[in-house]
Amino acid sequence: MSTRSKPATPEDAVPGHVAIIMDGNGRWAKNRLMPRVAGHRKGVEALRGVIRACAERGVSHLTVFAFSSENWRRPQEEVSLLMELFMRALENEVARLHENNIRFRVIGDLSGFSERIQVLIRDAEALTRDNTRLTFTVAANYGGRWDIVQAVKKLMLSGVPAGAVNETVLAEQLSIADMPEPDLFIRTGGEQRISNFLLWQLAYTELYFTDTLWPEFDAAALDAAIASYRTRERRFGRTSEQVQSAS
Ligand code: IPE
Ligand code: IPE
Ligand code: MG
């Protein structure tokens, strides 16, 4: 008999919620002596493939980091091109998401975006709100710290007494309060950091880092991440023995 403990994540388990930091677009373009924006364009294509692959594999929630609160610090020209790309993607991709029964959402401080983008976001969310196959969420002008601060503000404005504040009450005010917490976090592009993504929600998420640059991340790369996920034992603070006897 093998002494190695059996992982508690079943061999065919599909992570219900996958959260991705799509990083490496700029380096992908640089490697090809192309402008950074060419990498972002290619990144949109990669995202299209990953959305499809997630839906096919039965993932119910996909949340991606598209633009962080800190990305405004980039050169003005890159920021403008990213905004244009975001707007074009909203105009061109939402109908296809809707046809595929995918719910679309955006989280982040939308007041940072142009009126036109805000309208496109609201319309896309309204159009797809009853879709059930996959909830696809884009974090844009998002920061994990911003999310926690806006949750605290909402609580204070609602007049909740300090004694009534607990983790459940606070979590209910976060941007993706109605979703399960991410099971699998993926960061492409080789860096091993969270970069102010979903700080609260990643507390017990399985982390996966790959050197693959985002424009090259495809269905096979997603499968490799899911395969890694399946080898993890999710203990949530318990001992391995407890987890084994419960499963
Ligand atoms: C991720 O790719 C996309 C955004 C942050 C908008 P990067 O643009 O960060 O690519 P690298 O990290 O410079 O390669
Ligand atoms: C994180 O990527 C944010 C997105 C992918 C949108 P960055 O490339 O901006 O992160 P840092 O600055 O290297 O941590
Ligand atoms: Mg980067």
Side-chain angles (χ1 to χ4, degrees):
M1 210 182 98
S2 163
T3 50
R4 223 178 118 218
S5 58
K6 178 177 136 287
T9 310
E11 273 148 44
D12 56 353
V14 173
H17 187 169
V18 176
I20 306 181
I21 297 187
M22 311 182 291
D23 197 17
N25 295 349
R27 278 163 287 164
W28 181 89
K30 196 172 172 210
N31 290 344
R32 284 166 181 70
L33 308 176
M34 288 155 93
R36 291 178 60 85
V37 67
H40 297 315
R41 264 192 224 110
K42 197 77 186 163
V44 175
E45 279 177 39
L47 179 54
R48 212 179 279 136
V50 168
I51 295 169
R52 189 181 316 122
C54 282
E56 286 169 359
R57 280 152 187 73
V59 170
S60 63
H61 293 81
L62 170 66
T63 303
V64 302
F65 208 4
F67 192 86
S68 74
S69 330
E70 290 74 30
N71 285 145
W72 296 107
R73 296 176 185 156
R74 293 192 178 196
Q76 166 66 43
E77 197 204 333
E78 179 169 350
V79 171
S80 307
L81 288 169
L82 277 168
M83 290 304 140
E84 214 173 285
L85 199 61
F86 189 30
M87 198 157 74
R88 204 139 356 111
L90 284 166
E91 285 165 348
N92 298 333
E93 309 285 336
V94 170
R96 194 181 342 213
L97 293 176
H98 188 46
E99 274 166 29
N100 285 287
N101 194 17
I102 294 170
R103 182 174 181 190
F104 174 75
R105 290 183 55 181
V106 177
I107 56 169
D109 182 3
L110 299 189
S111 69
F113 294 115
S114 70
E115 191 51 38
R116 172 87 186 125
I117 289 182
Q118 292 185 44
V119 168
L120 284 168
I121 290 171
R122 277 197 293 270
D123 288 353
E125 287 183 333
L127 176 71
T128 63
R129 65 172 305 131
D130 295 324
N131 293 344
T132 53
R133 188 171 182 206
L134 168 75
T135 298
F136 168 56
T137 304
V138 173
N141 195 18
Y142 179 87
R145 290 178 179 173
W146 165 84
D147 200 359
I148 294 167
V149 169
Q150 67 80 31
V152 170
K153 276 189 189 157
K154 276 198 252 164
L155 279 185
M156 294 180 83
L157 285 169
S158 74
V160 172
V165 176
N166 56 35
E167 290 182 16
T168 309
V169 167
L170 180 56
E172 279 165 3
Q173 303 302 327
L174 294 168
S175 296
I176 55 170
D178 53 333
M179 298 185 200
E181 288 177 3
D183 299 293
L184 172 63
F185 161 95
I186 299 169
R187 182 175 187 141
T188 64
E191 314 296 347
Q192 304 197 351
R193 54 179 173 251
I194 306 287
S195 297
N196 200 17
F197 195 26
L198 303 162
L199 296 178
W200 178 284
Q201 297 87 343
L202 291 175
Y204 269 104
T205 304
E206 297 299 328
L207 307 180
Y208 178 84
F209 298 95
T210 172
D211 289 336
T212 302
L213 303 173
W214 176 251
E216 285 169 344
F217 192 87
D218 58 9
L222 176 70
D223 285 334
I226 293 175
S228 169
Y229 171 77
R230 287 176 178 155
T231 67
R232 314 288 178 93
E233 182 181 66
R234 307 191 70 189
R235 290 193 287 275
F236 299 99
R238 295 190 175 82
T239 67
S240 187
E241 288 69 22
Q242 287 176 302
V243 173
Q244 306 283 324
S245 66
S247 66

